[in-house]
Amino acid sequence: MPREVMAGVPMRMRLTVLKPGPTRVLVIRGRAPTERFAELAGELEAMSASMEILTWQTFTNGNDVEDVAFHDGYLWTATGGGVVAWPLGGGIDPVKFTVADGLPSNDVRALTVCPVGGELTLFAGTWGGGVARYDPGQWRWINLNDPYAEWSDRHVTSLACALDNRLVVGYQDGGVDVLNLDEVLWTHFRREEGVPGDLRALAATPLGSDIWLIGEEGLALISDVGLVPVSEPALGVYYQAGLDSTDTLWIAAWDRLIRRTPEGEWTDFDQREVEGLFHVQVTGLAVAADDTLWLGSY
């Protein structure tokens, strides 16, 4: 640094800046008379090289899985202790991401994959922290709740990606946000407009741009004409849903499995009457690429 004079003696100063974490900076300042500065600089370098900087480590439970997504050779799980990436090929240990890795909250409720600029991108919805995007180049998460974002809430319960590159974000009682990722435009749907209360799941149709909203208090559909409540038989409490390649809607509804065809025909499968199906509450559901139906139980 430039020389300075103190009590008539020429002085030199060195600042050493250490960054032990993405939000932590340690600054060491050393100053000595010019004739002794080389000796001081050597001591400062030795000190910096030998320092063991205290860092925090987060311990969380990543076993209570709320949602899953397949991306970039990994099975990603949303848990109450962060996001866990399980390598599908084996050979290496799973990796857990927490707030120390950029997540806005460790309580992660939903995951989805959506194209951004031609690249498939993983998104996470958190309880209390809003939405985050995964950056594979840095192996970190980017918080999307900047001052210019127009999210309606931060308590995310569900995510989905529509075919026309719209990221759909559902909140427990705060309605639904739809973000056009190509043009960065938001559309909001509120409970007063027909969004089901206690929103549990979202499902995007593979043959179009429609989005199903599944809540404890009923169903609704976002289509080209807007938000439309859907009349359905009173078949139970809805938990999760998925759509197969024929646009048939499947719903996990506690003590039964429900099917709705594109023509609006409903079929109720009581899990106690289906051979081979576990006789406990059905709370999780996903449709694989080959239309295989995967069910999870309470």
Side-chain angles (χ1 to χ4, degrees), residues 75-94:
L75 169 65
W76 300 78
T77 59
T79 80
V83 174
V84 182
W86 299 84
L88 296 177
I92 58 176
D93 294 331

Side-chain angles (χ1 to χ4, degrees), residues 16-293:
T16 302
V17 181
L18 303 177
K19 191 176 182 182
T23 60
R24 303 174 65 232
V25 175
L26 174 64
V27 179
I28 304 173
R29 185 181 70 168
R31 183 169 57 182
T34 301
E35 61 183 19
R36 293 189 55 228
F37 183 75
E39 178 185 349
L40 172 67
E43 294 177 356
L44 288 176
E45 290 177 1
M47 179 190 301
S48 300
S50 64
M51 289 184 65
E52 295 183 3
I53 301 174
L54 176 65
T55 59
W56 287 96
Q57 185 173 354
T58 303
F59 295 90
T60 62
N61 183 352
N63 292 323
D64 55 330
V65 178
E66 295 279 352
D67 198 6
V68 298
F70 294 95
H71 178 60
D72 199 24
Y74 289 82
L75 169 65
W76 300 78
T77 59
T79 80
V83 174
V84 182
W86 299 84
L88 296 177
I92 58 176
D93 294 331
V95 179
K96 183 168 65 174
F97 299 87
T98 66
V99 292
D101 305 296
L103 281 172
S105 168
N106 285 330
D107 191 353
V108 184
R109 302 292 180 91
L111 295 168
T112 195
V113 178
C114 215
V116 178
E119 296 287 337
L120 290 178
T121 303
L122 181 66
F123 292 89
T126 71
W127 185 260
V131 181
R133 172 181 61 83
Y134 180 63
D135 183 347
Q138 302 185 53
W139 274 73
R140 288 188 58 80
W141 291 85
I142 308 299
N143 189 347
L144 299 185
N145 291 279
D146 60 65
Y148 301 100
E150 299 179 15
W151 308 111
S152 299
D153 201 340
R154 293 197 175 192
H155 294 84
V156 179
T157 58
S158 50
L159 292 175
C161 180
L163 283 181
D164 49 1
N165 289 6
R166 288 180 298 159
L167 177 66
V168 189
V169 184
Y171 310 103
Q172 184 173 30
D173 290 303
V176 171
D177 284 333
V178 181
L179 171 60
N180 185 315
L181 295 168
D182 295 330
E183 302 176 6
V184 194
L185 296 175
W186 272 266
T187 305
H188 309 284
F189 298 96
R190 303 184 302 276
R191 286 197 60 183
E192 295 79 6
E193 299 175 80
V195 175
D198 197 1
L199 192 64
R200 300 291 183 87
L202 301 165
T205 60
L207 301 181
S209 58
D210 294 347
I211 304 159
W212 283 92
L213 314 180
I214 294 88
E216 184 175 347
E217 300 177 5
L219 307 176
L221 184 67
I222 297 177
S223 66
D224 294 336
V225 299
L227 178 64
V228 180
V230 176
S231 299
E232 81 288 346
L235 297 177
V237 178
Y238 304 131
Y239 279 91
Q240 282 289 345
L243 289 139
D244 62 24
S245 61
T246 67
D247 260 358
T248 295
L249 178 68
W250 296 87
I251 305 174
W254 192 248
D255 62 347
R256 63 198 63 234
L257 182 66
I258 300 169
R259 180 180 65 195
R260 183 188 186 277
T261 67
E263 294 75 29
E265 298 178 359
W266 295 84
T267 305
D268 175 21
F269 301 95
D270 189 317
Q271 39 80 291
R272 293 164 294 187
E273 300 174 359
V274 178
E275 184 178 356
L277 188 61
F278 33 67
H279 291 173
V280 292
Q281 292 83 359
V282 182
T283 55
L285 182 148
V287 182
D290 61 356
D291 281 351
T292 300
L293 200 63

